[in-house]
Amino acid sequence: MDKYVNLNFKNSALITVDVQKDTLDGQPFEIQGISNALPHMKQLLDTYRAYKLPVIHIVRIYKADRSNVDLCRMKLIEEGNPILEENSPGAELAEELFDDDSIRINSKLLLSGGIQKITENEVIIYKPRWGAFYNTPLQEYLQRLKVGALVFTGCNYPNCPRTSIYEASERDYRVVVAEDALSGCYARGIKEMENIGVLVDTTENIVHMVRDQMD
């Protein structure tokens, strides 16, 4: 890592991508590896919460009238697979991310482009397509907080996280990926991320780096 991509975790934010109930093991939109990654995500979340650093949960929600469904999933949903549908249990964030099960997504607020606040430092943002920055308030929110680095976790690297990581890189954020807290990572993908200046590391090492800088 050179000086241009060195990380300052004091102005970083942690991002989870699409970690929703429908994507977990045994659920309608099961994504292999998500359930196994949950303990690592929780470890990172606990660390960021303890230091009152920003946490942003990025979610996908499909309207019941299907008006915001991307073309590649329209057939699946038309055939009677209501995945990630607004106001459904499956669209909720995975309970394993929290210490209680009282967190509920406000679909109306999120679908209107609003930011749902969970705590003073933790929010939910809806994205209409793969990337977390595409037609979302994420960039404005990060700028308001003066965030310069992003740590990515979630579901599922080849799709939404990868797109979001490249979007973050395009905006000159310093980017970190917790490979054991992100499903779908593979050797070539990790090398591609490293080639654009992304730090790919384990949750344990990232937690140590955050603590070393914050304490």
Side-chain angles (χ1 to χ4, degrees), residues 72-147:
C72 66
R73 292 189 179 144
M74 186 66 78
K75 185 173 184 290
L76 176 70
I77 291 176
E78 282 184 343
E79 290 176 345
N81 301 285
I83 56 172
L84 304 174
E85 186 172 299
E86 60 180 319
N87 302 318
S88 72
E92 298 291 346
L93 288 163
E95 293 177 1
E96 290 85 348
L97 301 180
F98 304 96
D99 291 326
D100 62 66
D101 60 358
S102 64
I103 305 301
R104 295 291 180 271
I105 283 177
N106 184 336
S107 293
K108 183 177 181 180
L109 171 64
L110 294 173
L111 288 167
S112 70
I115 297 176
Q116 181 180 345
K117 182 180 287 189
I118 300 175
T119 68
E120 188 62 32
N121 305 299
E122 190 164 351
V123 301
I124 307 171
I125 291 176
Y126 156 76
K127 62 174 176 56
R129 289 296 184 267
W130 309 113
F133 290 87
Y134 175 75
N135 281 354
T136 77
L138 178 59
Q139 171 74 339
E140 181 181 352
Y141 181 72
L142 294 173
Q143 288 179 328
R144 188 161 68 246
L145 297 180
K146 302 187 184 308
V147 168

Side-chain angles (χ1 to χ4, degrees), residues 8-212:
N8 179 5
F9 285 98
K10 292 181 179 180
N11 73 343
S12 70
L14 175 64
I15 294 183
T16 74
V17 180
D18 296 348
V19 189
Q20 295 163 263
K21 290 184 179 180
D22 271 348
T23 69
L24 303 181
D25 288 353
Q27 300 307 307
F29 198 44
E30 178 181 342
I31 304 294
Q32 187 175 7
I34 287 297
S35 291
N36 290 337
L38 285 171
H40 301 291
M41 295 182 206
K42 184 60 163 55
Q43 186 179 358
L44 283 163
L45 285 163
D46 287 345
T47 301
Y48 268 70
R49 289 164 179 158
Y51 291 110
K52 300 188 184 324
L53 292 168
V55 172
I56 302 144
H57 302 281
I58 304 294
V59 299
R60 181 74 70 93
I61 306 169
Y62 290 132
K63 295 180 180 179
D65 65 7
R66 304 171 184 167
S67 60
N68 69 335
V69 176
D70 30 346
L71 295 179
C72 66
R73 292 189 179 144
M74 186 66 78
K75 185 173 184 290
L76 176 70
I77 291 176
E78 282 184 343
E79 290 176 345
N81 301 285
I83 56 172
L84 304 174
E85 186 172 299
E86 60 180 319
N87 302 318
S88 72
E92 298 291 346
L93 288 163
E95 293 177 1
E96 290 85 348
L97 301 180
F98 304 96
D99 291 326
D100 62 66
D101 60 358
S102 64
I103 305 301
R104 295 291 180 271
I105 283 177
N106 184 336
S107 293
K108 183 177 181 180
L109 171 64
L110 294 173
L111 288 167
S112 70
I115 297 176
Q116 181 180 345
K117 182 180 287 189
I118 300 175
T119 68
E120 188 62 32
N121 305 299
E122 190 164 351
V123 301
I124 307 171
I125 291 176
Y126 156 76
K127 62 174 176 56
R129 289 296 184 267
W130 309 113
F133 290 87
Y134 175 75
N135 281 354
T136 77
L138 178 59
Q139 171 74 339
E140 181 181 352
Y141 181 72
L142 294 173
Q143 288 179 328
R144 188 161 68 246
L145 297 180
K146 302 187 184 308
V147 168
L150 301 174
V151 179
F152 280 92
T153 70
C155 165
N156 177 40
Y157 171 69
N159 299 330
C160 299
R162 175 162 56 182
T163 303
S164 302
I165 288 164
Y166 275 87
E167 288 178 331
S169 178
E170 289 173 340
R171 290 161 176 79
D172 287 334
Y173 289 99
R174 290 161 172 80
V175 180
V176 183
V177 168
E179 60 179 318
D180 51 359
L182 179 64
S183 68
C185 280
Y186 52 91
R188 180 173 176 178
I190 290 172
K191 184 62 177 176
E192 289 169 350
M193 285 188 282
E194 291 173 342
N195 286 342
I196 62 167
V198 174
L199 172 64
V200 183
D201 212 330
T202 64
T203 292
E204 183 178 3
N205 287 340
I206 294 169
V207 166
H208 284 312
M209 286 187 282
V210 173
R211 290 175 176 166
D212 286 345

